[in-house]
Amino acid sequence: MRVPDAKVALSTASVYPESTATAFEIAARLGYDGVEVMVWTDPVSQDIEALRRLSDYHRIPILAVHAPCLLITQRVWSTDPWTKLRRAQAAAEKLGAGTVVVHPPFRWQRQYARDFVDGIWRMANETDVRFAVENMYPWRYRDREMLAYAPDWDVTKEDYRHFTIDLSHASTARTDALQMIDRMGDRLGHVHLADGRGSAKDEHLVPGRGDQPCAQVLERLAVSGFDGHVVIEVNTRRAMSSAEREADLAEALAFTRLHLASAAARVPRR
């Protein structure tokens, strides 16, 4: 069996409401290849030296840094969005992470949104770190839809060097994830693997528990020789115990490795 080059990482957001430190411990114990650090309100997630110590102690690399661009992180690492990205870049460089994940701006961040595409290119030209812009989704309330992101929640409409595909976001947007991956082409550099059922809420289910083409996506990545990172970013808040949360994360890892390897095994050697 040929082992794909893609590494499987655990997002530290996947253990919430437990801590960033707990995510490193679980990732190491379950055999993940690394972690993606979600920079948010947990002080440890914002502290480069603390993250380095966790990485060294658990012997698990930090493969990506998710910039603090959620609603709940508007004041983390400054209120200026470009400062946030510069700090995310510096953190990635110091921690040896190859990717910074970033969301498109909120529509009310008008100046940031106006300069975003060109600004991401400028930053990408200054570093070896990939700035992988992530697909989002319209916000919905009952039958109403609000476009919360600019230039667009569908990042394939803009010219970015690298993309992140998030399958839960594709589900919430009710868009075809495989077609989106086709549009991203060889600029797809990063994957957030999670499932969904098309709810207006961003579900981030364990892969295999929704109706998204998680298995097909993994198989396509393996066959195409994808060498980026596949990050498990799931919601385990409803877990009744730490053991149940860890079981969910073990299941997600097994699902991912199975479908990456089974597809790679079918590719004939040259």
Side-chain angles (χ1 to χ4, degrees):
M1 180 176 292
R2 191 175 67 180
V3 179
D5 293 330
K7 292 183 177 180
V8 183
L10 177 67
S11 169
T12 58
S14 296
V15 307
Y16 183 83
E18 296 195 62
S19 67
T20 299
T22 299
F24 278 83
E25 179 183 345
I26 291 175
R29 185 160 56 243
L30 295 180
Y32 278 83
D33 297 315
V35 300
E36 174 178 302
V37 174
M38 170 69 80
V39 180
W40 57 355
T41 54
D42 181 348
V44 171
S45 74
Q46 305 170 30
D47 187 327
I48 293 173
E49 290 308 314
L51 293 169
R52 195 197 311 276
R53 288 194 296 271
L54 283 169
S55 178
D56 291 344
Y57 179 78
H58 292 289
R59 297 183 179 180
I60 190 158
I62 297 170
L63 301 179
V65 173
H66 194 307
C69 41
L70 306 176
L71 279 174
I72 64 169
T73 60
Q74 291 299 289
R75 296 186 177 276
V76 173
W77 278 0
S78 171
T79 56
D80 176 63
W82 291 114
T83 300
K84 291 173 182 282
L85 293 192
R86 285 192 289 271
R87 291 190 64 171
Q89 175 186 332
E93 290 170 345
K94 291 176 181 177
L95 294 168
T99 300
V100 168
V101 179
V102 58
H103 293 179
F106 294 111
R107 296 191 74 85
W108 56 83
Q109 296 174 304
R110 293 182 181 178
Q111 186 60 48
Y112 179 47
R114 191 175 299 118
D115 299 337
F116 184 69
V117 178
D118 290 340
I120 289 293
W121 269 102
R122 285 194 300 270
M123 295 190 73
N125 287 332
E126 296 169 358
T127 180
D128 291 332
V129 173
R130 292 178 173 181
F131 281 88
V133 186
E134 183 174 4
N135 63 301
M136 298 305 291
Y137 47 84
W139 290 2
R140 293 190 180 90
Y141 178 71
R142 295 181 179 174
D143 294 330
R144 294 190 174 187
E145 184 174 287
M146 182 176 79
L147 300 179
Y149 299 96
D152 203 284
W153 63 263
D154 182 354
V155 293
T156 64
K157 293 182 178 180
E158 302 297 331
D159 179 27
Y160 300 113
R161 180 175 292 175
H162 294 108
F163 293 111
T164 295
I165 179 79
D166 185 304
L167 272 70
S168 178
H169 294 176
S171 175
T172 303
R174 298 170 189 167
T175 192
D176 188 308
L178 291 171
Q179 290 181 6
M180 180 169 279
I181 288 173
D182 286 341
R183 295 196 298 275
M184 291 178 173
D186 60 7
R187 291 182 291 170
L188 174 62
H190 202 69
V191 176
H192 281 169
L193 190 69
D195 220 327
R197 302 190 187 97
S199 168
K201 295 182 179 179
D202 186 18
E203 296 172 287
H204 283 275
L205 304 176
V206 171
R209 297 185 185 178
D211 57 17
Q212 288 302 289
C214 295
Q216 297 97 309
V217 167
L218 292 169
E219 290 165 4
R220 181 178 294 192
L221 295 176
V223 169
S224 67
F226 177 75
D227 61 356
H229 304 138
V230 178
V231 178
I232 303 300
E233 190 183 76
V234 296
N235 185 344
T236 63
R237 297 177 196 177
R238 293 186 179 181
M240 300 301 292
S241 65
S242 295
E244 183 177 333
R245 175 172 292 107
E246 191 163 327
D248 284 346
L249 299 176
E251 178 184 330
L253 177 61
F255 179 100
T256 304
R257 288 235 171 97
L258 171 66
H259 289 285
L260 283 173
S262 62
R266 295 197 296 270
V267 178
R269 292 181 179 272
R270 292 185 178 180

